[in-house]
Amino acid sequence: MNGTGQTIIQLQGVGKSFGGREVLPPLDLDIYHGEFITLLGPSGCGKTTLLRLIGGFEQPDAGRVLLAGSDITDLPPNQRPVNTVFQSYALFPHMTVFENVAFGLRAEQRPEDEIRTRVAQVLAMVQMRELADRKPDQLSGGQQQRVAIARAVIKGPRVLLLDEPLSALDYKLRKQMQNELKRLQRELGITFVFVTHDQEEALSMSDRVVVMREGVIEQIGTPRNVYETPANLFVARFVGEINVFTAHVLETVDTERVIGEIEGERHELRTHGKSFPAGARINVLLRPEDLRLLPADAPQGLPGQVIERNYKGMTLESLIRLDSGQELLASEFFDEDDPDFDYRLGERVRVTWVPNWEILLPDDTARAV
Amino acid sequence: MTLRAPFKTAVLVLIWGWMLLFVLVPNLLVIVTSFLRRDDVHFIRWEATLDNYLRLFSPDYAAVFAHSFYMALVTTVLCLLIGYPFAYLVSRYRAAMKPYLIFLVIVPFWTNSLVRTYAMKLLIATNGLVNQALLGLGLIDEPLRMLYTEGAVIAGLVYVLLPFMILPLYAIFEQLRSDLLEASADLGAGRWQTFYRVVLPLTMPGIIAGSLLVLLPAVGMFYVADVLGGAKNLLIGNIVKNQFLDARDWPFGAAASLLLTLAMGVLLYAYYLSVKLIRRPETHAALA
C-alpha cells in the first residue's frame, strides 16, 4: 500500500493564503486508495488547511485538487464524494443520534426503508445502536465521537477526512478509539486522511505519515521510515525524543561509511546512502532507546554522569551529562536481572550506542527549531 | 460571609418589595376591577359580574380584536422577513464591523417612538414629503392616500418594533456554530437544505423571541394607531386606553387589558415549550 496503490487524491501545486499570509505554499501530494495517511505537524503548520482544501471548505489560491483523476477544485463540499469527521464533532444539537447519522442520506432523499437499514448498520458498526434516540448533549465525548464517525461514513465516501478527532478524549479512550478507527478503516477499505499533532498517534495508526512545518511538507514516509530515518532535524525532533551530536567528517570509507569525530573521538558511522565529503559538518542523531550505558571502567564510550532518572514503567530514562557538557537522554527496557542496569543518581558511566543505528544529517541547525 | 448577610437581606427585601408593590398589587387590582361594575362617580361599583368579559366577546369588540391581531401578525411577519436576513448578514460581518451595524439598529431608540411616529405622519400625509416628491417626479398625478390607513399603522409598527426583532435574532445567529453549517454541506446538503434543516431549527428560539417582542407590543401600541390609523384601525391597546381615559369604564378596560396579559402568557408559554424542545446547544464537551 505504500506508494504502490492507485492514486485517489492528487494535490497539484495547491497553495493557500489567508489575509495576505501564506499558510500553505504551493505543494504536491498524492494520496493512495485505501491507505491511512496522517498529516502530522505542530499547530499552525497548515495540516488542517490542507484537509479543508480536500473537503472543499477552503478554495485554493493556486493549483488543482483531483479525485480519482477528475478535477474537483471548484466543487462545493456537498458535491464531493468525501466526508469529514470534525474536531468539534459538529453534531446537530437539535437532532437525535439517528437523525444526525441519517442526515446525509436524507440530503439525497433516499427512501425511508433504506435510511433505517443503513443507519442501523453504521450505528452497529460503531456500537451506538442502543443510543439512537439520544440527543448529542446526552452523550459522552467518546460516544459523540462515534456518532460523528458513523455520520461521516454512512454515505460510503471515497475518502474520509478526520480533523484531530481524538484530541478531546482522555488517554485511555484515545487508545481505544485509535484501534477502532484502524479496524473501521480496514472494514470499509476506504482512504483515511487523518490530521493530528500527536506523533505517537500518527506513528501507531498510519500507513504513511506526512510531516509538515509552516505549510511545507518536510517528509513523507512510513512511520518507521519517518522515525528511523528522519529527513531532517525537525522531523527527527518532532516524531520523538532524539539526541544530537554535532560532528564533522574526517574521511570517507566507502559509499556506506564515513569516519567522523564526535566529542573528540573517532567513530565509524553509517551514512544510509547519503554522501558526506571529508570536513563536512554533520549532525549525528541517536534515539534514546539506541543508547547504552556502561560502567565507568568500561573500555569505550563517552564519559559522563547520571544526573536524572525517570522510572516510566516499561522503561527507565536516564539523563546523562557528558564531561563535554552535552546532555543525553537514554531509555532502557527494564530488566531486573541486569546488574549493569541500575545506575545510581550521580554515578559515573560511559555512553555508547548500538552500532549502525545512528542517523547522519547535514548540519542544518539554521533551519532546526 | 457575615458581613455580606445584611447586604443580601437588603437586596432581597428591595426586590421583593418592588415586585410586590409595583407588579403584584397593581395586577391584582386590575383583576379585581375586571369583575366589578362601572360607576359614574366612583369609577367602580363593588358588585361582582362577568359582564365585562361577555362584552369583550360581543361581535363588535371581537372584530376589533381580530383586526388588531391581524395587523400585529402582519407586522410581525414583515419584521421577521426584514430582520432575519439582516441579523444573519450582520452576524457574518467581520467582528470589527458588527458593533457599528448593531449601533445603527439601536440609534432610533434614542428618539422617543411617539416623536418618530409623528415624524412618520409628516412624511406620509396627503401633502407630506413622500407625496410631494412623487408628484414632483411626475410619477403620480394626485396625492396618494397613505395616512389613516391600515398600511400606515402596520408601517409605523414595523418601523418602531423592528429592532426588537433584529436583536434577539442577531444574538442567536452569533451563537450559530459555523462547523454545523460545514457539516451539513459536507454531508451533501445544498444551501436551501442546510437552511431549513439546520439554520432554521437552530435559530427558532430567536425567531420566537423576536416575534413575541414584536407581536405583544404591536397589539398594545395605541399611539401608533392614534397618530397614523384614524378611527378605523384600532389596536387592543386603543380600547384599553379609551375605556380608562375617555369612556371612564374602568372594569371593561381592566378586562380588555387582562385579555392582553393572558394572550401574552400563552405566547410566553409557547416560547418556553419551544426552547425546551429545541434544547440550546450546550458547550460542547469536546471543546470544554
Side-chain angles (χ1 to χ4, degrees):
Chain A
M1 217 174 291
N2 306 318
T4 53
Q6 169 198 356
T7 308
I8 180 92
I9 284 180
Q10 268 182 298
L11 303 179
Q12 299 177 340
V14 166
K16 180 74 186 170
S17 301
F18 289 110
R21 204 174 70 85
E22 193 173 47
V23 178
L24 221 54
L27 59 79
D28 297 319
L29 179 65
D30 284 359
I31 296 171
Y32 303 114
H33 178 70
E35 76 171 332
F36 196 123
I37 190 168
T38 297
L39 309 179
L40 173 68
S43 51
C45 75
K47 55 191 192 297
T48 294
T49 304
L50 199 59
L51 198 77
R52 291 173 60 81
L53 285 165
I54 299 173
F57 305 113
E58 306 289 352
Q59 283 292 305
D61 303 328
R64 320 296 303 158
V65 181
L66 304 185
L67 189 132
S70 53
D71 192 332
I72 58 164
T73 316
D74 300 321
L75 283 188
N78 55 325
Q79 288 171 30
R80 299 188 180 198
V82 164
N83 287 122
T84 308
V85 177
F86 293 85
Q87 184 174 15
S88 60
Y89 310 148
L91 298 179
F92 303 117
H94 58 300
M95 294 183 188
T96 60
V97 167
F98 183 94
E99 283 305 319
N100 264 285
V101 176
F103 192 93
L105 298 180
R106 292 215 194 282
E108 285 179 347
Q109 268 127 30
R110 313 296 301 184
E112 195 62 34
D113 293 356
E114 185 195 330
I115 292 178
R116 272 178 204 296
T117 334
R118 281 172 67 184
V119 170
Q121 267 171 14
V122 292
L123 281 181
M125 200 159 63
V126 296
Q127 287 131 49
M128 285 291 295
R129 255 185 110 153
E130 288 74 34
L131 302 178
D133 296 326
R134 295 267 185 96
K135 289 275 185 74
D137 61 358
Q138 297 169 299
L139 300 176
S140 70
Q143 289 167 337
Q144 292 184 23
Q145 168 77 83
R146 287 159 193 274
V147 178
I149 292 169
R151 189 179 68 171
V153 299
I154 196 164
K155 289 176 79 179
R158 305 289 299 271
V159 176
L160 187 69
L161 308 175
L162 302 108
D163 186 6
E164 307 218 20
L166 309 181
S167 60
L169 305 179
D170 61 52
Y171 182 78
K172 215 177 152 199
L173 199 52
R174 199 159 67 230
K175 288 278 165 211
Q176 189 191 337
M177 286 308 295
Q178 285 175 7
N179 288 329
E180 288 201 29
L181 277 177
K182 284 296 285 178
R183 172 182 63 84
L184 204 63
Q185 195 246 347
R186 276 196 303 273
E187 278 176 25
L188 296 168
I190 59 174
T191 309
F192 276 33
V193 184
F194 189 90
V195 160
T196 185
H197 60 258
D198 180 339
Q199 46 89 14
E200 199 188 325
E201 194 167 277
L203 295 182
S204 66
M205 297 180 76
S206 324
D207 296 317
R208 285 198 304 157
V209 178
V210 179
V211 186
M212 297 180 68
R213 175 170 59 153
E214 286 165 16
V216 177
I217 296 178
E218 298 281 354
Q219 187 172 6
I220 305 178
T222 62
R224 209 174 155 167
N225 211 237
V226 168
Y227 188 78
E228 292 182 1
T229 53
N232 54 43
L233 265 185
F234 171 78
V235 175
R237 288 204 168 115
F238 196 77
V239 299
E241 295 287 347
I242 195 94
N243 296 300
V244 181
F245 290 109
T246 45
H248 61 272
V249 177
L250 295 172
E251 58 191 89
T252 309
V253 180
D254 55 36
T255 53
E256 276 294 296
R257 286 171 299 166
V258 296
I259 304 290
E261 190 187 292
I262 298 171
E263 303 277 312
E265 286 182 19
R266 286 169 66 92
H267 287 271
E268 193 176 274
L269 305 166
R270 281 181 74 90
T271 60
H272 295 280
K274 295 191 208 80
S275 76
F276 299 96
R281 291 182 57 78
I282 53 170
N283 286 318
V284 179
L285 277 52
L286 284 159
R287 295 281 175 206
E289 62 271 23
D290 298 340
L291 292 184
R292 294 289 178 267
L293 302 185
L294 301 173
D297 53 6
Q300 89 267 33
L302 303 168
Q305 194 177 15
V306 180
I307 59 169
E308 198 73 70
R309 285 163 39 93
N310 292 316
Y311 177 69
K312 295 257 170 160
M314 282 229 314
T315 58
L316 186 69
E317 279 187 2
S318 312
L319 192 61
I320 317 293
R321 184 180 293 133
L322 296 183
D323 292 349
S324 67
Q326 176 160 15
E327 287 179 7
L328 298 176
L329 185 70
S331 167
E332 294 174 292
F333 276 98
F334 206 84
D335 182 359
E336 286 171 10
D337 300 332
D338 185 354
D340 289 345
F341 184 76
D342 215 9
Y343 297 104
R344 281 173 288 109
L345 208 58
E347 192 171 340
R348 291 199 55 82
V349 291
R350 280 176 176 266
V351 184
T352 61
W353 61 88
V354 185
N356 297 338
W357 283 25
E358 65 277 356
I359 304 146
L360 269 52
L361 292 174
D363 187 359
D364 61 351
T365 31
R367 242 180 84 68
V369 197
Chain B
M1 285 311 261
T2 43
L3 258 175
R4 283 197 183 167
F7 176 71
K8 196 171 153 187
T9 316
V11 169
L12 283 176
V13 166
L14 192 69
I15 292 173
W16 281 104
W18 180 278
M19 296 295 277
L20 219 67
L21 201 61
F22 295 108
V23 179
L24 190 65
V25 171
N27 272 301
L28 281 176
L29 287 177
V30 171
I31 293 174
V32 170
T33 307
S34 74
F35 290 102
L36 300 177
R37 285 188 194 284
R38 71 174 288 199
D39 188 285
D40 287 334
V41 186
H42 299 101
F43 292 120
I44 47 169
R45 190 154 13 121
W46 288 89
E47 205 181 306
T49 175
L50 285 173
D51 281 359
N52 301 310
Y53 288 97
L54 295 176
R55 238 176 101 198
L56 275 177
F57 294 104
S58 71
D60 286 352
Y61 282 108
V64 174
F65 283 173
H67 188 57
S68 176
F69 268 114
Y70 160 75
M71 287 194 291
L73 266 177
V74 174
T75 301
T76 308
V77 170
L78 285 176
C79 282
L80 192 59
L81 288 179
I82 303 167
Y84 197 80
F86 182 87
Y88 171 75
L89 288 176
V90 172
S91 77
R92 298 289 119 170
Y93 257 89
R94 59 201 163 80
M97 281 295 288
K98 288 177 188 175
Y100 297 103
L101 291 167
I102 290 303
F103 175 73
L104 288 179
V105 175
I106 295 170
V107 161
F109 277 123
W110 293 354
T111 309
N112 186 297
S113 58
L114 182 59
V115 175
R116 282 185 283 138
T117 307
Y118 271 105
M120 194 150 164
K121 180 178 183 171
L122 293 179
L123 283 175
I124 62 173
T126 310
N127 56 357
L129 275 174
V130 174
N131 268 325
Q132 280 175 14
L134 290 175
L135 284 169
L137 288 168
L139 290 173
I140 51 172
D141 296 326
E142 51 189 82
L144 296 174
R145 185 168 175 272
M146 288 180 285
L147 193 58
Y148 305 131
T149 60
E150 185 184 297
V153 176
I154 291 172
L157 288 172
V158 169
Y159 171 50
V160 173
L161 295 172
L162 186 58
F164 294 98
M165 180 64 88
I166 290 175
L167 294 177
L169 282 174
Y170 170 71
I172 202 116
F173 270 119
E174 279 291 280
Q175 287 175 33
L176 189 65
R177 288 161 47 193
S178 57
D179 61 339
L180 297 180
L181 307 186
E182 288 185 346
S184 174
D186 185 72
L187 294 166
R191 281 163 180 275
W192 176 239
Q193 276 205 45
T194 298
F195 174 72
Y196 76 76
R197 295 186 59 199
V198 180
V199 178
L200 199 58
L202 288 177
T203 53
M204 197 48 85
I207 294 177
I208 297 173
S211 298
L212 287 180
L213 288 176
V214 171
L215 190 67
L216 298 173
V219 289
M221 288 195 132
F222 58 86
Y223 56 87
V224 174
D226 271 353
V227 174
L228 300 172
K232 268 198 268 169
N233 296 295
L234 292 177
L235 304 181
I236 303 179
N238 293 86
I239 296 177
V240 176
K241 183 208 126 194
N242 291 344
Q243 294 308 318
F244 274 97
L245 299 183
D246 305 331
R248 301 283 167 141
D249 190 343
W250 283 19
F252 184 58
S257 118
L258 261 182
L259 189 75
L260 255 184
T261 312
L262 216 64
M264 177 153 48
V266 169
L267 289 172
L268 284 175
Y269 184 65
Y271 174 67
Y272 165 77
L273 282 185
S274 71
V275 171
K276 226 175 97 172
L277 204 71
I278 294 165
R279 265 180 189 281
R280 293 296 322 122
E282 281 161 37
T283 322
H284 224 277
L287 299 174

